[in-house]
């Protein structure tokens, strides 16, 4: 006979069953000494599974009893599908027929994936592991109770200072991926996701995939990472940055893993969701005011007259009578007439009932009334208040006035009147369950104060935030060495009929949010002041939370003395390491000291030093920089490294990790700050064109040799020849980094410390004029102490006039001058000849009129005729030089000619 499912029993059982009907099995089996309970007749008595894949990639399908050893006569093993076989999304592998079958309506399947989206309890396979990051022996930190907690629709991380890892191991038959949704709103904690293989070795993973990004309040982000085939151990790890209590935990939901071999069953839709058609790969959430049960193919409407339901609800809720917490009060903005009005609005979506006993009604709008005066430092610019211009002041009532001579305005924010929320403030409502709180305002303005909003549940955090870009001291005290750069003062009061908590928090340079002070339960009206001891960008946050049912409210006024902006931008955002020269113990073991430095700890990335001597998992994996239970995280830390060959270890050992600096005091070009002195003589400076910048740090952990704790100075020096990460050095005189054991000195040479290049950093060189052209070349002024910025102008070629031109020009001028001189000489010579001739004629005329004494004799020059000299005067011929001299002295022009003188002339 044949089993209804098609299974044929073994021959012995078949012999006993030849004359029996399936409805009377027990009497037929008794003669064969076989018990009915020993035979697996029905398919519910066993299930099918595949064996492990062999080297050829094949496997077998075998039947396994539901309870091992309880029955026999199982179906024979048969060849199974290929190891890489999987069904499409919306289908499952029906093992008896080994065929893909569509999921029924009300269920879903991912095909080759699995999904975890219901967190009423921790699913099978998930576990939590908690460790403490604190190394303080005087502080008792117990992390045994720290764990990720299921909250129905999501998982919530721990809220204490412990580091907790959520772990899940999965074996993939092919390459796949893991995807999950998360909320990570608080950078006061670290949130990382990484993957290990079955050897506890971390997979290669980029920093972007490992360190998750912050999310805004109420926003869910999705993170996806590819997975390799084989065993993948998934880790979600959260931990406090500075060991403070968490205000906003990390939330996790909708974990989906693709790449498993097959899915042998479909998953029913969880309550609040449905799938309307067969073959669905996901379930949709039920719309608002509808609900569904487990495995639903449709959603059931609520009776909206008396009931309501949020989106994705598993049941309808009765609408409560309206109360004061169902509406909120607002002040309308000032109109052109300078009037405002109080109005009330229902919180949307409205879920309460008005016309039932005990229900509150929406209050009527108030009368239009004059707007409150402007806050100090603002003037009435109807219908708004505008800030006073620079160098002016106002009390909020009078117009802005210029400060008297010799004085300056006291800069700051003072908020006494609250008609509208100031532009540098933000308010929000954060709810760990992501309910309607995310659409509400956390705080409401109320004319002379600001108060917390109504909220919607006990898990609401009502948040008010103000951002201050920096502080500016008055000129009269800016040159003094002060420890106070500004202060914030606020007046507050809390009124709670049950438990509540009020936080005041601070975030410096957008690194991490720390709780400055907190108050619980009801607090009388009081004033709190916080002093700012460093000049930095800071955000102040007030958060009000109620923890149990009751009426809760807090109100507050704020006064902040601050202004201006002081920002030092450092290009070096990543941490750097320095390993000094090797040293040896008395037994000959070689070791090094390694320093890890992070100047500003940007985005919470502090320097980390590990101790893998006590962390066996890290030691075995050979990852010296991995975070372990003994890790030290600070701005500057030091580890002692023993190389792998030092004592026969397979990997280098990192031990004795110490914190050198956990507090950043400030940065300045001066040699001292807050009692800590830099030593410029340890790092001689070759160029003083760009001054060094000294970063000062301190650690408050006292030691036997440093009762006040250690301190450190990192000198940042401009060196354009270095990369942005640069090079880290210790003093040559103190190779340990410290000369006294308490103050450590480091030099960080980097191009990132150089100023931006400008036009003043280069100069012009003019080339030689050749062929009528001259090159104009721009070069950097040496030594070059700048990077980036403006580029060198291109070489220019301009027309020019060279030496050949000037030689020709000079020759022309010389020739002209010579011709001019010759011409003048000839002119004056001829003129002189005429004057001589006229003079001789004058003399002859005088001799004819006057008697002259007879001459004793007359001389006739040889070769001359007497007849030719009758009319000529014989005289000695002067030289050319004498003629010119005579002309210059105007000898002939000044000479007075008279007869007496002419008679006395003697001729040579």
């Amino acid at each position: 006979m044949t089993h209804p499912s098609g299974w044929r029993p073994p021959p012995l059982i078949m012999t006993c069953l030849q004359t029996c009907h399936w409805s009377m099995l027990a009497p037929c089996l008794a003669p064969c000494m076989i018990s009915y309970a020993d035979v697996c007749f029905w398919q519910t008595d066993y299930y099918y599974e595949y064996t492990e894949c062999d080297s050829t990639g094949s496997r077998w399908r075998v039947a396994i009893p539901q309870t091992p050893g309880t029955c026999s006569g199982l179906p024979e093993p048969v060849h199974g599908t290929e190891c890489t076989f999987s069904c499409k999304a919306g289908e499952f592998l029906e093992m008896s027929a080994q065929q893909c079958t569509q999921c029924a309506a009300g269920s879903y399947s991912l095909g080759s994936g699995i999904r975890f989206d219901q967190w009423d309890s921790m699913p099978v396979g998930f576990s939590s592991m908690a460790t403490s990051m604190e190394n303080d022996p005087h502080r008792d930190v117990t992390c045994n109770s720290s764990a990720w907690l299921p909250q129905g629709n999501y998982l919530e991380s721990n809220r204490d200072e412990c580091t907790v890892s959520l772990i899940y191991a999965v074996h993939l038959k092919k390459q796949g991926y893991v995807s999950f949704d998360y909320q990570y709103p608080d950078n006061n904690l670290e949130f990382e996701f990484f993957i290990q293989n079955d050897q506890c070795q971390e997979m290669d993973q980029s920093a972007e995939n490992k360190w998750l990004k912050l999310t805004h309040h109420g926003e869910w982000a999705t993170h996806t990472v590819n997975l390799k085939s084989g065993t993948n151990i998934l880790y979600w790890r959260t931990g406090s940055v500075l060991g403070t209590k968490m205000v906003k935990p990390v939330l996790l939901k909708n974990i989906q893993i693709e790449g498993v071999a097959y899915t042998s069953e479909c998953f029913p839709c969880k309550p609040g969701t449905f799938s309307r058609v067969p073959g669905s790969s996901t379930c949709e959430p039920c719309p608002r005011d509808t609900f569904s049960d487990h495995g639903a193919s449709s959603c059931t409407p609520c009776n909206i007259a008396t009931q309501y339901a949020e989106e994705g609800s598993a049941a309808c809720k009765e609408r409560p009578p309206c109360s004061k917490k169902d509406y909120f009060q607002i002040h309308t903005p000032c109109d052109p007439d300078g009037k405002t009005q109080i109005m009330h609005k229902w919180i949307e979506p409205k879920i309460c009932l008005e016309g039932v006993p005990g229900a509150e009604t929406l209050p009527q709008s108030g009368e239009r009334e004059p707007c409150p005066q402007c806050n100090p430092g603002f003037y009435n610019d109807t219908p708004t208040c505008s800030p006073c211009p620079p160098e002016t002041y106002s009390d909020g009532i009078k117009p802005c006035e210029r400060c008297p001579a010799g004085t300056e305005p006291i800069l700051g924010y003072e908020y006494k009147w609250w008609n509208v929320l100031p532009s540098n403030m933000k308010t929000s409502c954060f709810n760990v369950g992501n309910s309607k709180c995310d659409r509400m305002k956390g705080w409401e303005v109320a004319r002379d104060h600001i108060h917390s909003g109504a909220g919607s549940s006990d898990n609401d955090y009502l948040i008010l935030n103000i951002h201050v870009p920096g502080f500016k001291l008055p000129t009269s005290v800016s040159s003094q060495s002060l420890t106070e750069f500004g202060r914030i003062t606020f007046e507050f009061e809390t009124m709670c009929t049950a438990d509540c908590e009020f936080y005041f928090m601070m975030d410096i340079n957008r690194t991490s949010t720390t709780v400055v002070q907190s108050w619980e339960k009801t607090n009388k009206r009081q004033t709190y002041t916080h002093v700012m001891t460093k000049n930095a960008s800071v955000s102040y946050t007030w958060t009000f939370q109620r923890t149990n049912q009751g009426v809760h409210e807090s109100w507050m006024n704020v006064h902040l003395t601050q202004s201006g902006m002081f920002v030092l931008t450092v290009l070096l955002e990543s941490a750097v390491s320095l390993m000094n020269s090797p040293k040896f113990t008395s037994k000959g073991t070689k070791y090094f000291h390694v320093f890890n430095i992070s100047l500003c700890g940007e985005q919470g990335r502090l320097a980390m030093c590990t101790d893998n001597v006590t962390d066996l998992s890290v030691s075995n994996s050979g990852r010296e920089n991995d975070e372990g239970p003994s890790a030290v995280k600070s701005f500057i830390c030091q580890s002692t490294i023993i190389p792998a060959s030092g004592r026969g270890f397979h990997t280098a050992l990192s031990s004795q990790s110490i914190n050198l600096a956990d507090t950043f005091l400030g940065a300045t070009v001066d040699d001292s700050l807050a009692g800590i002195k830099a030593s410029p003589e340890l790092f001689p400076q070759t160029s003083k064109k760009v001054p060094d910048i000294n970063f000062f740090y301190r650690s408050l952990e006292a030691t036997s040799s440093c009762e006040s704790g250690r301190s450190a100075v990192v000198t940042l020096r401009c060196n354009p020849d270095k990369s942005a990460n640069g090079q880290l050095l210790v003093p040559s005189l103190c190779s340990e980094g410290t000369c006294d054991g308490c103050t450590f000195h480091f030099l960080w040479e980097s191009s990132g410390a150089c100023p931006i290049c400008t036009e003043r950093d280069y100069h012009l060189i003019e080339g030689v004029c050749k062929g009528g052209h001259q090159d104009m070349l721009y070069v950097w002024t040496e030594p070059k102490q700048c990077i980036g910025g403006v580029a060198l102008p291109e070489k220019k070629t301009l027309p020019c006039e060279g030496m050949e031109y000037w030689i020709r020009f000079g020759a022309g001028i010389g020739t002209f001058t010579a011709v001019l001189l010759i011409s003048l000489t000839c002119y004056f010579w001829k003129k002189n000849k005429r004057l001589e001739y006229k003079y001789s004629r004058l003399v002859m005329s005088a001799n004819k009129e006057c008697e002259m004494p007879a001459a004793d004799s007359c001389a006739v020059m040889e070769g001359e005729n007497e007849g030719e000299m009758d009319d000529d005067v014989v005289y000695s011929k002067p030289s050319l030089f004498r003629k010119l001299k005579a002309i210059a002295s105007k000898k002939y022009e000044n000479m007075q000619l008279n007869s007496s003188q002419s008679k006395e002339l003697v001729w040579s």
Side-chain angles (χ1 to χ4, degrees):
M1 66 182 301
T2 304
H3 194 278
S5 66
W7 167 68
R8 293 183 61 82
L12 176 61
I13 299 179
M14 282 296 299
T15 303
C16 294
L17 297 178
Q18 286 178 355
T19 59
C20 293
H21 190 267
W22 287 104
S23 61
M24 302 179 63
L25 293 179
C28 294
L29 293 175
C32 301
M33 303 299 293
I34 300 175
S35 172
Y36 173 78
D38 294 336
V39 181
C40 293
F41 284 106
W42 312 112
Q43 200 162 350
T44 54
D45 295 335
Y46 58 90
Y47 62 95
Y48 290 111
E49 274 195 5
Y50 283 123
T51 62
E52 291 291 331
C53 295
D54 56 24
S55 58
T56 63
S58 60
R59 56 187 174 182
W60 292 80
R61 188 202 70 178
V62 297
I64 301 175
Q66 294 288 356
T67 304
T70 57
C71 63
S72 59
L74 296 172
E76 298 292 333
V78 297
H79 280 286
T81 59
E82 295 182 358
C83 292
T84 57
F85 175 83
S86 61
C87 296
K88 296 185 298 183
E91 298 179 343
F92 72 101
L93 181 62
E94 205 282 312
M95 293 293 290
S96 60
Q98 297 194 79
Q99 293 180 350
C100 293
T101 305
Q102 279 191 341
C103 294
S107 62
Y108 73 95
S109 167
L110 301 177
S112 61
I114 52 177
R115 178 187 295 163
F116 302 96
D117 55 5
Q118 191 168 356
W119 304 94
D120 296 321
S121 60
M122 191 67 76
V124 177
F126 283 87
S127 62
S128 289
M129 182 178 68
T131 56
S132 173
M133 294 296 295
E134 298 292 332
N135 291 327
D136 189 355
H138 303 288
R139 186 175 181 181
D140 184 17
V141 180
T142 302
C143 297
N144 295 334
S145 59
S146 298
W148 286 75
L149 301 176
Q151 299 291 347
N153 293 327
Y154 57 87
L155 277 175
E156 180 182 287
S157 68
N158 58 305
R159 295 170 179 259
D160 53 29
E161 58 267 43
C162 298
T163 298
V164 181
S165 298
L166 177 68
I167 307 172
Y168 182 77
V170 62
H171 186 80
L172 302 186
K173 293 297 183 180
K174 59 181 180 179
Q175 290 185 349
Y177 66 87
V178 57
S179 174
F180 56 88
D181 298 335
Y182 70 94
Q183 281 190 13
Y184 176 29
D186 192 352
N187 59 3
N188 197 31
L189 55 84
E190 286 183 343
F191 182 31
E192 60 176 325
F193 172 74
F194 59 94
I195 307 165
Q196 290 184 353
N197 57 19
D198 52 2
Q199 302 295 321
C200 292
Q201 296 174 339
E202 187 170 341
M203 303 286 195
D204 293 335
Q205 199 173 347
S206 64
E208 183 179 357
N209 287 332
K210 183 174 181 179
W211 299 98
L212 282 82
K213 298 179 180 179
L214 289 171
T215 61
H216 299 293
H217 297 311
E219 174 185 325
W220 289 94
T222 301
H223 189 69
T224 303
V225 179
N226 292 329
L227 300 177
K228 297 180 180 179
S229 59
T231 299
N232 293 266
I233 306 175
L234 313 180
Y235 286 83
W236 293 266
R237 177 181 291 174
T238 60
S240 169
V241 174
L242 298 175
T244 56
K245 181 180 179 181
M246 297 303 100
V247 177
K248 305 168 190 174
V250 172
L251 308 182
L252 196 63
K253 70 176 184 178
N254 293 341
I255 300 177
Q256 180 173 330
I257 303 173
E258 287 283 347
V260 297
Y262 60 90
T263 298
S264 59
E265 61 180 347
C266 294
F267 300 97
C269 293
K270 67 177 182 178
T273 63
F274 71 102
S275 64
R276 67 183 71 206
V277 295
S280 298
S281 60
T282 184
C283 296
E284 303 175 29
C286 287
R288 183 177 300 278
D289 294 330
T290 64
F291 73 99
S292 69
D293 204 349
H294 194 76
S297 59
S298 63
C299 297
T300 304
C302 300
N303 181 4
I304 58 175
T306 59
Q307 296 177 325
Y308 76 99
E310 298 284 348
E311 182 180 4
S313 295
C316 294
K317 299 179 181 178
E318 295 296 325
R319 293 183 180 271
C322 290
S323 63
K324 291 182 178 180
K325 71 176 182 178
D326 292 309
Y327 62 83
F328 60 95
Q329 170 186 301
I330 63 170
H331 281 71
T332 61
C334 289
D335 58 22
D337 298 330
K339 301 287 187 179
T340 185
Q341 185 180 23
I342 296 178
M343 297 184 64
H344 299 82
K345 291 186 177 181
W346 293 111
I347 297 175
E348 295 294 339
K350 182 183 176 185
I351 62 172
C352 63
L353 295 175
E354 294 184 65
V356 296
E360 292 281 345
T361 58
L362 195 66
Q364 296 293 325
S365 299
E367 297 291 335
R368 294 175 70 246
E369 54 187 13
C371 294
Q373 67 186 53
C374 297
N375 284 308
F378 291 77
Y379 68 96
N380 191 351
D381 187 17
T382 307
T384 61
C385 292
S386 300
C388 287
E391 304 302 325
T392 63
Y393 73 99
S394 172
D395 60 358
I397 302 176
K398 301 178 182 179
C400 298
E401 301 178 5
R402 185 167 294 276
C403 294
T407 65
E408 60 180 331
I410 301 175
L411 302 174
Y413 298 139
E414 184 174 1
Y415 300 115
K416 299 169 58 178
W417 304 102
W418 302 84
N419 191 50
V420 295
L421 193 69
S423 58
N424 62 340
M425 280 189 171
K426 293 181 180 180
T427 180
S428 61
C429 179
F430 173 74
N431 186 287
V432 295
N434 193 22
S435 69
K436 65 180 181 180
C437 168
D438 303 315
R439 300 185 295 270
M440 299 170 53
K441 289 184 178 180
W443 291 70
E444 300 289 345
V445 295
R447 193 175 178 83
D448 61 347
H449 68 277
I450 184 171
H451 61 80
S452 58
S456 60
S457 68
D458 294 336
N459 293 324
D460 293 343
Y461 289 96
L462 308 177
I463 300 170
L464 179 66
N465 175 272
I466 182 173
H467 177 67
V468 182
F471 297 84
K472 182 180 180 181
L473 294 174
T475 306
S476 57
V477 298
S478 59
S479 59
Q480 304 178 13
S481 177
L482 300 177
T483 57
E484 179 180 337
F485 288 90
R487 60 174 55 199
I488 180 171
T489 301
F490 58 92
E491 187 179 11
F492 73 96
E493 180 181 7
T494 59
M495 296 168 285
C496 307
T497 58
D499 292 338
C500 65
E501 196 161 5
F502 183 49
Y503 299 94
F504 173 58
M505 298 175 290
M506 178 176 62
D507 180 3
I508 298 177
N509 292 330
R510 300 186 184 275
T511 54
S512 62
T513 302
T514 57
V515 177
V516 179
Q517 187 63 272
S518 63
W519 298 267
E520 295 181 354
K521 300 183 178 180
T522 298
N523 290 271
K524 295 182 179 180
R525 186 170 179 172
Q526 57 186 281
T527 300
Y528 181 81
T529 299
H530 175 73
V531 176
M532 189 66 180
T533 58
K534 68 170 70 174
N535 198 346
S537 173
V538 61
S539 291
Y540 295 108
T541 302
W542 297 268
T543 301
F544 182 70
Q545 182 200 24
R546 59 184 185 187
T547 55
N548 282 309
Q549 292 292 339
V551 179
H552 309 75
E553 185 181 20
S554 64
W555 68 266
M556 181 174 58
N557 278 323
V558 181
H559 174 70
L560 177 64
T561 305
Q562 73 84 41
S563 183
M565 179 182 294
F566 177 81
V567 179
L568 174 62
T569 302
V570 181
L571 299 179
L572 307 175
E573 296 180 350
S574 58
V576 296
S577 299
L578 168 67
M579 179 180 291
N580 61 6
S581 56
K583 296 175 176 57
F584 297 88
T585 65
S586 58
K587 296 183 179 181
T589 301
K590 182 168 67 174
Y591 67 94
F592 300 86
H593 280 158
V594 175
F595 301 93
N596 291 329
I597 298 178
S598 177
L599 275 184
C600 301
E602 287 295 326
Q603 300 177 354
R605 307 293 173 83
L606 297 171
M608 182 171 64
C609 299
T610 60
D611 183 355
N612 63 6
V613 173
T614 58
D615 186 2
L616 295 180
S617 63
V618 174
S619 178
N620 292 336
S621 65
R623 295 179 288 109
E624 298 176 4
N625 295 326
D626 282 20
E627 183 179 344
S630 303
V632 173
K633 301 182 71 173
S634 61
F635 289 98
I636 305 175
C637 60
Q638 172 190 302
S639 296
T640 300
I641 303 296
I642 301 175
S645 59
R647 296 183 60 182
F649 295 108
H650 296 292
T651 182
L653 296 183
S654 173
S655 64
Q656 299 178 1
S657 298
I658 59 175
N659 170 24
L660 300 182
D662 53 18
T663 303
F664 175 53
L665 301 178
T668 177
V669 295
D670 298 331
D671 294 337
S672 62
L673 181 68
I676 302 175
K677 294 184 178 180
S679 300
E681 67 277 3
L682 296 177
F683 306 106
Q685 193 173 6
T686 57
S687 173
K688 295 186 178 180
K689 184 178 179 180
V690 178
D692 292 341
I693 303 176
N694 296 314
F695 286 70
F696 293 86
Y697 303 87
R698 172 172 286 151
S699 173
L700 301 179
E701 297 179 2
T703 64
S704 57
S705 57
C706 306
E707 296 181 356
S708 300
R710 300 181 180 92
S711 58
V713 180
V714 179
T715 301
L716 201 63
R717 178 170 296 173
C718 169
N719 189 338
D721 298 330
K722 301 292 184 181
S723 64
N725 285 337
Q727 182 181 12
L728 196 64
L729 303 171
V730 294
S732 57
L733 300 178
C734 310
S735 60
E736 296 289 338
T738 176
C739 300
D740 58 4
C742 294
T743 302
F744 289 77
H745 300 272
F746 304 93
L747 175 64
W748 196 341
E749 290 186 314
S750 167
S751 60
C754 299
I756 302 299
C757 294
T758 64
E759 290 81 358
R760 293 175 294 179
D761 294 307
Y762 60 80
H763 61 276
L764 174 64
I765 296 180
E766 298 181 357
V768 178
C769 183
K770 292 182 180 180
H773 294 86
Q774 183 182 24
D775 292 336
M776 313 293 287
L777 182 65
Y778 294 89
V779 297
W780 294 111
T781 302
E782 296 295 339
K784 181 185 177 185
Q785 296 287 303
C786 65
I787 60 171
V790 299
L792 282 177
E794 297 292 335
K795 183 177 71 173
K796 299 178 181 179
T797 301
L798 303 176
C800 65
E801 297 166 345
M803 291 300 297
E804 296 177 359
Y805 168 80
W806 292 109
I807 292 174
R808 290 195 301 269
F809 180 77
I813 294 297
T815 303
F816 174 77
T817 304
V819 172
L820 180 62
L821 289 176
I822 293 173
S823 301
L824 290 174
T825 302
C826 292
Y827 169 76
F828 285 112
W829 181 78
K830 289 181 179 181
K831 186 175 182 180
N832 184 49
K833 290 291 290 182
R834 288 195 296 269
L835 289 175
E836 287 180 358
Y837 176 74
K838 291 179 180 181
Y839 176 73
S840 63
R841 296 293 294 178
L842 181 62
V843 171
M844 290 175 63
S845 299
N847 287 337
K848 291 180 179 181
E849 297 176 0
C850 303
E851 293 184 358
M852 296 289 290
D856 294 337
S857 61
C858 294
V860 180
M861 296 293 291
E862 183 177 1
E864 295 182 342
N865 297 326
E866 293 182 5
E868 297 175 352
M869 300 184 60
D870 290 342
D871 298 327
D872 294 333
V873 178
V874 180
Y875 59 96
S876 62
K877 184 178 181 180
S879 65
L880 178 62
F881 174 74
R882 291 181 65 187
K883 292 178 180 180
L884 294 174
K885 183 177 181 181
I887 292 171
S889 61
K890 300 182 180 179
K891 176 178 180 180
Y892 297 107
E893 293 180 351
N894 297 330
M895 183 180 295
Q896 297 181 358
L897 298 178
N898 53 60
S899 60
S900 60
Q901 289 176 334
S902 60
K903 292 180 180 180
E904 296 175 0
L905 289 173
V906 179
W907 299 93
S908 59

